[in-house]
């Protein structure tokens, strides 16, 4: 069961996606579900995915937290001193926003609705 504020997903830069998929498949036996030509999801102990969309992908790993109420969590993040870097937006599977913590790390929070 998903819980507010728990690490739920890890998004990694995809680079050359076919090469990345071949590497992780050969080295660790990972399998993937493709969501279009620039995104491949994995479920290998922790759900995650590689984003190879040069315009959208982060340049570092992106920890993704979960929230039942996305707007309420955004308000909590801001109240705690987080800086919203991408306001709430739709993506295949739900909605999310990105923020920077006080150390400068970028994280995201998502919800199914």
């Amino acid at each position: 069961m998903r819980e507010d504020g728990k690490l739920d997903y890890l998004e990694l830069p995809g680079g050359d996606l076919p090469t990345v998929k071949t590497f992780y498949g050969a080295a660790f036996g990972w399998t993937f579900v493709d969501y279009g030509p620039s995104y491949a999801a994995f479920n290998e102990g922790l759900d995650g995915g590689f984003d190879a969309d040069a315009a959208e992908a982060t340049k570092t790993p992106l920890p993704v937290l979960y929230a039942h109420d996305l707007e309420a969590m955004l308000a909590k993040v801001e109240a705690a001193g987080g800086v919203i870097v991408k306001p709430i937006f739709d993506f295949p599977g739900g909605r999310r926003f990105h923020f920077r913590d006080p150390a400068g790390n970028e994280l995201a929070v998502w919800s199914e609705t």
Side-chain angles (χ1 to χ4, degrees):
M1 178 177 173
R2 293 190 160 114
E3 296 183 37
D4 285 349
K6 299 296 181 186
L7 188 60
D8 189 68
Y9 199 85
L10 179 64
E11 198 165 84
L12 300 167
D16 178 19
L17 197 53
T19 301
V20 168
K21 288 171 52 180
T22 299
F23 168 77
Y24 280 94
F28 304 109
W30 288 16
T31 58
F32 300 91
V33 175
D34 292 328
Y35 292 97
S38 64
Y39 200 93
F42 56 82
N43 180 355
E44 303 297 339
L46 172 69
D47 287 348
F50 289 99
D51 189 349
D53 183 336
E56 294 294 323
T58 61
K59 304 303 179 220
T60 58
L62 179 68
V64 181
L65 306 161
Y66 182 79
H68 290 285
D69 183 334
L70 199 59
E71 286 78 9
M73 189 62 74
L74 186 144
K76 285 182 178 181
V77 167
E78 287 183 312
V83 175
I84 305 304
V85 295
K86 286 188 183 180
I88 294 173
F89 63 95
D90 294 330
F91 72 97
R95 299 180 312 135
R96 75 185 195 193
F97 68 88
H98 293 208
F99 69 95
R100 288 203 190 284
D101 68 13
N105 298 303
E106 185 173 341
L107 291 86
V109 180
W110 85 283
S111 181
E112 288 118 337
T113 59

